[in-house]
């Protein structure tokens, strides 16, 4: 027996769908508090030393956190090539805006303290603030467009064509999803600042974070009601060959009212995901206001996990529906790489993912504790 046949093709496809979700969740939970903390920079820190404290809560770890984004992009490229082709070409301008923001963030980290002038540092503070807001907002807008359907199509030879525009992405429901994403990232960033700082910075972070948490809960619930009442979903209407070759044109699909609710009706235990997505932000807000730091940070992180998993559970087995013709939609069963490729990649993941997790855990352990403003003022530590 060939080694890769130890795991069947359909099981490998589901495993890689789950791994893609894990990588996206890993990025949202780790780099999410980076983005949220920087989005709150000017609101939580009023003087220079306070802003340096906020920056130094994420400065030493942001690079490691962004590894999850790189891994996610690599997984899409290797495991779901058609998804990569559509998303990275169709969302090109949005991706470009996100990358510009993510590139400017480390530049601001490095250059902000090169000069003492207040105006110089103030400009870089604004760059850091915007670099936190833009990716958090646009990632949510992208998810909203995925739920609505993306205007792409295939030719008979499987050549991909994208018929949309950048401004076409800014639909009301997609913007609502963007606000959900921004609110939950701000919540997570605030809980991180409460965890890593003291004094006025922590107090302001708790105040703004509690408001963001409540807003994230309300907006997420509103998005769920909108989906249930007014957003059409996508469903496969033909027989499914789970071990067949990847060819999106080999199936038929349709737009159907309530299709995004079908998995929850078929498997009621899945309702725990959106329920926790609504409840956990309130627990995080309570933790921030009562200065129960671990409760606030853990609840905000789990809220993000549940919100993202809610989307995945609603869409399965759809990955990227087409609003041009449902038949062109990409699913778990017809848009993956080959059986051999998925197996080889799985072996690599089983080797390297534990190493990444172990190294990340070690880094966070070394950098545990709160950022001391006096150590920054006295120059006792290597700080930004």
């Amino acid at each position: 027996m060939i080694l890769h046949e130890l795991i069947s093709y359909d099981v490998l496809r589901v495993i890689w769908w789950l791994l893609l979700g894990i990588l996206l969740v890993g990025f949202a939970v780790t780099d999410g508090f980076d983005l949220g903390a920087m989005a709150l920079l000017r609101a939580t820190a009023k003087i220079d030393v306070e802003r340096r404290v906020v920056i130094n809560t994420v400065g030493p770890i942001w690079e490691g956190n962004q590894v999850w984004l790189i891994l996610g992009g690599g997984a899409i490229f290797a495991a779901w090539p058609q998804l990569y082709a559509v998303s990275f070409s169709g969302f090109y301008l949005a991706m470009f805006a996100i990358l510009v923001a993510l590139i400017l963030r480390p530049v601001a980290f490095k250059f902000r303290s090169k000069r003492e002038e207040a105006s110089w540092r103030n400009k870089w503070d604004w760059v850091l603030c915007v670099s936190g807001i833009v990716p958090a907002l646009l990632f949510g807008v992208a998810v909203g467009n995925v739920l609505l359907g993306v205007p792409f199509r295939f030719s008979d030879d499987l050549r991909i064509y994208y018929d949309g525009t950048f401004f076409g992405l800014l639909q009301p429901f997609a913007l609502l999803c963007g606000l959900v994403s921004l609110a939950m990232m701000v919540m997570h960033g605030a809980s991180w600042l409460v965890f890593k700082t003291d004094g006025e910075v922590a107090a302001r972070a708790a105040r703004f974070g509690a408001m963001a948490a409540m807003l994230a809960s309300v907006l997420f619930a509103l998005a769920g009601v909108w989906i249930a009442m007014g957003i059409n979903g996508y469903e496969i209407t033909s027989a499914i060959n789970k071990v067949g070759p990847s060819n999106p044109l080999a199936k038929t699909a349709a737009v159907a009212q309530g299709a995004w609710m079908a998995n929850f009706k078929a498997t009621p235990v899945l309702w725990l995901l959106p329920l926790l997505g609504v409840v956990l932000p309130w627990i995080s807000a309570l933790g921030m206001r009562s200065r129960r730091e671990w409760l606030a940070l853990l609840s905000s992180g789990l809220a993000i996990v549940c919100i993202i998993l809610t989307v995945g559970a609603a869409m399965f087995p759809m990955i990227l529906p087409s609003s041009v013709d449902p038949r062109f939609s990409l699913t778990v069963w017809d848009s993956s790489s080959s059986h051999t490729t998925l197996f080889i990649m799985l072996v690599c993941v089983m080797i390297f993912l534990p190493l990444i997790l172990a190294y990340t855990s070690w880094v966070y352990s070394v950098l545990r504790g709160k950022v001391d403003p006096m150590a920054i003022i006295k120059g006792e530590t290597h700080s930004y």
Side-chain angles (χ1 to χ4, degrees):
M1 178 182 292
I2 301 175
L3 186 60
H4 72 264
E5 292 182 354
L6 292 173
I7 306 178
S8 63
Y9 198 10
D10 57 331
V11 172
L12 276 174
R13 282 168 160 165
V14 173
I15 289 174
W16 270 101
W17 176 79
L18 291 172
L19 283 173
L20 178 59
I22 290 171
L23 294 175
L24 294 178
V25 165
F27 169 71
V29 171
T30 57
D31 210 42
F33 67 71
D34 287 6
L35 299 175
M38 290 302 97
L40 285 171
L41 176 62
R42 296 185 63 84
T44 56
K46 300 300 183 182
I47 59 177
D48 185 67
V49 67
E50 290 180 343
R51 291 179 181 174
R52 291 187 67 189
V53 166
V54 172
I55 291 170
N56 278 278
T57 64
V58 300
I61 55 177
W62 71 268
E63 291 173 294
N65 293 341
Q66 276 194 194
V67 166
W68 294 97
L69 178 62
I70 297 170
L71 289 174
I76 294 174
F77 174 78
W80 310 100
Q82 292 169 326
L83 173 62
Y84 181 90
V86 175
S87 58
F88 280 76
S89 58
F91 295 160
Y92 180 80
L93 290 178
M95 292 288 185
F96 182 78
I98 290 172
L99 288 176
V100 168
L102 294 178
I103 290 169
L104 286 177
R105 182 172 54 164
V107 174
F109 283 152
K110 298 297 183 182
F111 279 85
R112 182 189 182 277
S113 296
K114 295 296 184 182
R115 292 168 59 178
E116 298 289 340
E117 291 89 341
S119 60
W120 169 268
R121 295 188 172 187
N122 186 59
K123 292 174 183 176
W124 287 114
D125 290 340
W126 275 112
V127 171
L128 287 170
C129 187
V130 172
S131 72
I133 293 172
V134 170
L137 180 67
L138 290 182
F139 279 129
V141 170
V143 172
N145 276 278
V146 169
L147 287 166
L148 292 170
V150 178
F152 71 94
R153 54 189 171 87
F154 287 96
S155 63
D156 291 338
D157 59 357
L158 292 182
R159 186 174 300 177
I160 300 171
Y161 295 90
Y162 181 79
D163 297 333
T165 63
F166 172 77
F167 292 103
L169 301 175
L170 305 180
Q171 302 178 64
F173 177 77
L175 291 174
L176 173 61
C177 292
L179 292 177
V180 172
S181 175
L182 178 59
M184 72 181 189
M185 295 301 182
V186 170
M187 167 191 67
H188 198 40
S191 67
W192 174 254
L193 292 179
V194 171
F195 185 75
K196 292 291 289 183
T197 66
D198 279 317
E200 288 298 315
V201 172
R204 296 185 193 111
R207 185 167 63 253
F208 285 108
M211 290 189 290
M214 291 183 284
L215 185 62
S217 177
V218 171
L219 292 178
F220 176 60
L222 177 60
V225 172
W226 196 339
I227 289 175
M229 303 298 292
I231 301 295
N232 292 329
Y234 292 75
E235 61 183 10
I236 300 173
T237 56
S238 61
I240 302 173
N241 184 3
K242 298 181 179 180
V243 295
S246 290
N247 179 7
L249 302 185
K251 68 173 183 308
T252 59
V255 177
Q257 176 65 38
W260 291 149
M261 299 289 108
N263 288 336
F264 295 99
K265 294 176 181 178
T267 311
V269 71
L270 292 177
W271 284 107
L272 285 174
L273 293 173
L275 177 62
L276 290 173
V278 171
V279 172
L280 284 170
W282 291 89
I283 297 176
S284 181
L286 178 63
M288 282 186 270
R289 296 305 294 264
S290 62
R291 298 302 177 85
R292 298 179 180 178
E293 301 164 358
W294 275 105
L295 177 64
L297 186 60
L298 183 61
S299 297
S300 66
L302 288 175
I304 292 174
V305 172
C306 291
I307 289 172
I308 294 175
L309 292 184
T310 296
V311 176
M315 292 186 59
F316 184 85
M318 289 285 175
I319 297 180
L320 191 66
S322 169
S323 59
V324 174
D325 186 336
R327 181 171 63 100
F328 299 135
S329 299
L330 304 180
T331 75
V332 171
W333 314 121
D334 61 20
S335 58
S336 71
S337 294
S338 68
H339 191 172
T340 302
T341 300
L342 294 184
F343 179 79
I344 293 173
M345 288 174 56
L346 181 61
V347 172
C348 294
V349 167
M350 292 174 65
I351 295 172
F352 291 106
L353 187 58
L355 295 177
I356 294 171
L357 291 172
Y359 174 75
T360 301
S361 300
W362 176 77
V363 169
Y364 278 91
S365 176
V366 170
L367 297 173
R368 66 185 179 275
K370 295 182 181 293
V371 177
D372 182 6
M374 292 307 298
I376 293 176
I377 293 173
K378 294 177 181 179
E380 297 174 355
T381 61
H382 178 71
S383 58
Y384 291 94

